[in-house]
Amino acid sequence: MKAISVIKEELERSCGEARDALLSEYENDGRKGVQNLVFKYKKEAQALVEERLRLEGMRVFEKKYASSYFSICGVDEAGRGPLAGPVVAGACILPPDAEILFLNDSKKLSAKKRDILFDEIQEKAIAFGVGIVSPERIDEINILQATFEAMQIAVGNLSMVPDLLLVDAVKIPNVTMKQIGIIKGDAKSVSIAAASILAKVTRDRIMIEMDAIYPQYGFRQNKGYGSAAHIQAIREHGACPIHRETFIKNFVGAE
């Protein structure tokens, strides 16, 4: 009879059909330690099946338009609401058969998971681009127009011209390709979800860099959003160069 440690090692090294065969072999082993291993790996296998089904549901729009458009690009933004920092947009074209497990709306993921997916998206994407628009530009043209500009830049930074844009919630002005706005698209489309992660991680890393320059505002923690501590810091220290003046006018100089 094999030691439980040996069985554990076998299961850890195996995958797919080979692991399924081992689980079938050991499911009648009466030892509690073996049964715990079988339960663990069967649970993981079921979770993987469910995750792949969830991802398949997020390919609905890509599949719907695949016969009419060769390259489909997701577009999303991060940073419309903060009091400080840029607004950032991502654009991403994924292969139709790309499997990026746990890909989702960036807001539903932990920072650690976003960082992992950020690298995987760049590795597996056919093309991706990022657009960054400064706080000064936001103040100059307003946040909506700055968001559109960031999206235009992101699409322009792709290494190829897409045939169709799937955009989270909005339609981007002044682009020549066909586009479709999808409400809550970052939770409904793998392409938009990938773009949302590219935008979010890029922006978060910028704000962490800004925290080292302007530590009094807590940018590492709040990423420029209007937390109570951030607002109090603005009242105490005034604005710094990356604050959006049109967003903080009610706080500067306030008692």
Side-chain angles (χ1 to χ4, degrees), residues 10-11 13-26:
E10 285 180 341
L11 289 168
R13 289 202 312 262
S14 64
C15 61
E17 292 182 0
R19 179 177 287 173
D20 290 342
L22 287 172
L23 291 173
S24 295
E25 178 183 346
Y26 296 129

Side-chain angles (χ1 to χ4, degrees), residues 196-243:
S196 79
I197 291 168
L198 293 175
K200 174 65 174 168
V201 173
T202 299
R203 188 181 187 281
D204 282 358
R205 290 177 180 180
I206 291 170
M207 296 309 295
I208 289 170
E209 291 176 0
M210 291 299 100
D211 182 74
I213 300 171
Y214 309 108
Q216 63 269 41
Y217 299 100
F219 291 143
R220 175 177 287 273
Q221 290 76 34
N222 61 49
K223 305 302 187 292
Y225 284 87
S227 67
H230 184 190
I231 292 170
Q232 185 59 35
I234 295 170
R235 288 171 170 157
E236 290 180 5
H237 304 288
C240 77
I242 69 163
H243 276 107

Side-chain angles (χ1 to χ4, degrees), residues 29 51 73 171 175 203 231:
D29 189 311
E51 172 59 15
C73 177
K171 288 192 176 181
V175 296
R203 188 181 187 281
I231 292 170

